[in-house]
Amino acid sequence: LKGPFEKWKLCSAIYPFNSSFFTIAAGNSAFNKKRKEDMKGYLPIYKVWNKPIEPETEKEEKGIDSVKKKIFESFIKECVEKNIKLFIVKSPTYIKQNGVDPYVAEAEKIASHYSVPFFDYSHDLMFISDNGKYFADRSHMNNTGSQLFTEILIKRILDWKTQATGK
């Protein structure tokens, strides 16, 4: 909402995931599509992060963006009102957490208010205890990690559905 390129960014299907104008432009180029394997939106990364886990850097205390919070809550509310089954998932990161992440805590609180399952794997020891072998960098899982995480998440969702319905 703040930059001069917003109207151009909105033309891109990847804008919700990466709002950098030049990243979007490069991602939509024909050259980029030829050099990257794309499986229905999944782009595997085969690199392995070989650096030690580092502590989370201090976050500047600005507070939670009220506009983002309202949009997040509005999205959840609309899904609930339209009986769309929603699961909110925070993916693993290769960062040693210092205390509770206020953004994750707020997202979980909003999800709970609407009785939406919230699965936080952001600092799951299963993923961060193996010296980075599941990550391409601190924030992105590699193909091995993504496959393992997908299997775990599918099982968790199926278990949740079984508990919720008794079937």
Side-chain angles (χ1 to χ4, degrees):
L1 298 174
K2 298 176 184 175
F5 297 112
E6 295 306 309
K7 66 180 177 180
W8 302 108
K9 290 177 183 180
L10 292 172
C11 295
S12 171
I14 66 167
Y15 177 62
F17 308 106
N18 189 335
S19 60
S20 169
F21 180 75
F22 295 107
T23 302
I24 292 169
N28 286 338
S29 71
F31 169 75
N32 190 54
K33 289 184 181 9
K34 287 179 188 171
R35 70 181 178 91
K36 285 191 176 177
E37 176 184 4
D38 183 350
M39 294 178 260
K40 297 184 179 180
Y42 173 67
L43 299 171
I45 304 172
Y46 298 102
K47 177 181 160 188
V48 175
W49 187 249
N50 58 9
K51 295 180 184 175
I53 191 167
E54 295 176 11
E56 180 175 53
T57 56
E58 292 299 319
K59 293 178 184 159
E60 196 173 315
E61 292 297 324
K62 292 182 184 178
I64 294 171
D65 184 320
S66 62
V67 173
K68 288 180 181 179
K69 180 179 170 181
K70 285 178 187 174
I71 292 169
F72 180 72
E73 188 165 3
S74 173
F75 174 77
I76 293 172
K77 184 178 177 186
E78 186 171 343
C79 287
V80 169
E81 287 171 351
K82 295 186 179 197
N83 293 317
I84 297 169
K85 190 66 210 159
L86 178 64
F87 294 86
I88 299 174
V89 179
K90 178 70 173 92
S91 301
T93 57
Y94 196 62
I95 301 167
K96 192 180 295 181
Q97 183 175 353
N98 299 327
V100 176
D101 184 325
Y103 304 103
V104 174
E106 187 65 21
E108 189 168 12
K109 179 179 160 189
I110 293 168
S112 176
H113 175 76
Y114 290 96
S115 300
V116 170
F118 186 93
F119 304 147
D120 181 11
Y121 288 91
S122 57
H123 302 288
D124 190 293
L125 291 177
M126 177 176 193
F127 295 98
I128 64 173
S129 63
D130 282 330
N131 302 319
K133 75 177 185 180
Y134 297 125
F135 293 87
D137 59 38
R138 291 173 47 143
S139 301
H140 298 91
M141 298 189 89
N142 61 25
N143 189 59
T144 302
S146 296
Q147 288 180 349
L148 176 63
F149 179 58
T150 299
E151 290 171 19
I152 290 168
L153 188 57
I154 289 169
K155 183 179 180 336
R156 179 129 185 228
I157 290 171
L158 292 174
D159 288 348
W160 183 93
K161 289 172 90 174
T162 300
Q163 290 175 356
T165 62
K167 297 178 185 178

